[in-house]
């Protein structure tokens, strides 16, 4: 749809890039693929680890399967870098993230990683690349427990 848009719009400042990152964090923490899909262009290209997707239908299907397997999901994203569009017409934000989840055996995991986002001028993401690593953790090692504000958790340098 040509009239779709999602502020803030590029070119990004540090402040608007951070807003974009936190908006994505908040949307993903809803675990609602039908809502999340509208942050991406209709033909958005994704690489999520070893999975390659294109378009909103594939994004929704992927996220439904993801959260069927990754329960009690809690995500934090932080701005890593961004382009301000002064040198290139490619508009990017890089993100580091951490999320915790439980598998079907009730084992807790923490996933660490980086994302590379490319944006259309209307503020929708047209490309998303994600690389991540899963680390088994015990219940007492969790950061993002119920009732904790994930944005206030102190994540030490050894974890980024």
């Amino acid at each position: 749809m040509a009239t779709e848009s999602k502020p803030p719009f590029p070119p990004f400042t540090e402040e608007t890039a951070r807003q974009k990152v936190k908006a994505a964090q908040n949307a993903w923490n809803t675990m609602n693929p039908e809502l999340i899909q509208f942050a991406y262009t209709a033909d958005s290209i994704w690489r999520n680890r070893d999975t390659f997707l294109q378009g909103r239908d594939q994004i929704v299907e992927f996220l439904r399967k993801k959260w069927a397997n990754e329960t009690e999901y809690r995500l934090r994203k932080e701005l890593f870098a961004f382009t301000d569009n002064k040198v290139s017409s490619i508009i990017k934000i890089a993100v580091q993230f951490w999320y915790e989840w439980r598998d079907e055996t009730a084992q807790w995991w923490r996933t660490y990683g980086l994302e590379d986002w490319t944006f259309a001028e209307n503020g929708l993401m047209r490309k998303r690349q994600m690389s991540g690593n899963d680390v088994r953790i015990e219940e007492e090692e969790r950061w993002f427990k119920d009732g904790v504000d994930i944005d206030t958790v102190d994540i030490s340098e050894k974890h980024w």
Side-chain angles (χ1 to χ4, degrees):
M1 194 181 270
T3 60
E4 289 181 312
S5 65
K6 188 118 182 121
F9 303 110
F12 297 115
T13 64
E14 183 175 350
E15 178 183 347
T16 60
R18 285 187 196 288
Q19 289 172 4
K20 203 68 153 173
V21 170
K22 289 304 178 179
Q25 171 187 294
N26 294 339
W28 277 62
N29 277 327
T30 69
M31 297 173 58
N32 181 343
E34 287 74 19
L35 169 74
I36 293 165
Q37 70 174 319
F38 295 112
Y40 303 93
T41 60
D43 61 349
S44 187
I45 298 168
W46 278 28
R47 181 191 53 78
N48 199 91
R49 302 176 195 237
D50 62 350
T51 301
F52 295 82
L53 311 168
Q54 185 165 11
R56 289 180 178 157
D57 290 343
Q58 289 184 10
I59 291 169
V60 168
E61 179 183 349
F62 172 83
L63 291 175
R64 283 182 185 148
K65 288 178 183 175
K66 171 185 177 62
W67 289 317
N69 296 319
E70 296 179 5
T71 63
E72 300 185 59
Y73 176 94
R74 288 181 185 82
L75 165 71
R76 176 156 159 195
K77 293 180 183 274
E78 293 294 340
L79 178 65
F80 188 75
F82 71 99
T83 59
D84 59 12
N85 205 26
K86 290 180 182 170
V87 177
S88 168
S89 62
I90 298 173
I91 306 160
K92 289 187 166 277
I93 292 177
V95 174
Q96 63 183 20
F97 66 86
W98 310 262
Y99 66 86
E100 293 175 353
W101 52 282
R102 195 164 13 183
D103 68 18
E104 67 280 351
T105 69
Q107 173 62 55
W108 282 101
W109 296 86
R110 183 175 301 126
T111 301
Y112 296 81
L114 295 170
E115 292 180 325
D116 172 16
W117 301 345
T118 304
F119 288 88
E121 290 181 5
N122 64 358
L124 297 177
M125 197 180 305
R126 64 179 187 83
K127 186 176 179 185
R128 173 184 173 269
Q129 298 185 80
M130 180 276 226
S131 295
N133 299 295
D134 301 323
V135 177
R136 183 185 305 258
I137 61 172
E138 299 302 321
E139 168 78 27
E140 56 274 4
E141 295 176 282
R142 291 182 55 219
W143 295 336
F144 307 140
K145 295 181 181 183
D146 289 340
V148 170
D149 178 352
I150 60 175
D151 286 317
T152 63
V153 172
D154 183 30
I155 300 175
S156 69
E157 186 174 5
K158 76 177 187 177
H159 295 287
W160 39 268

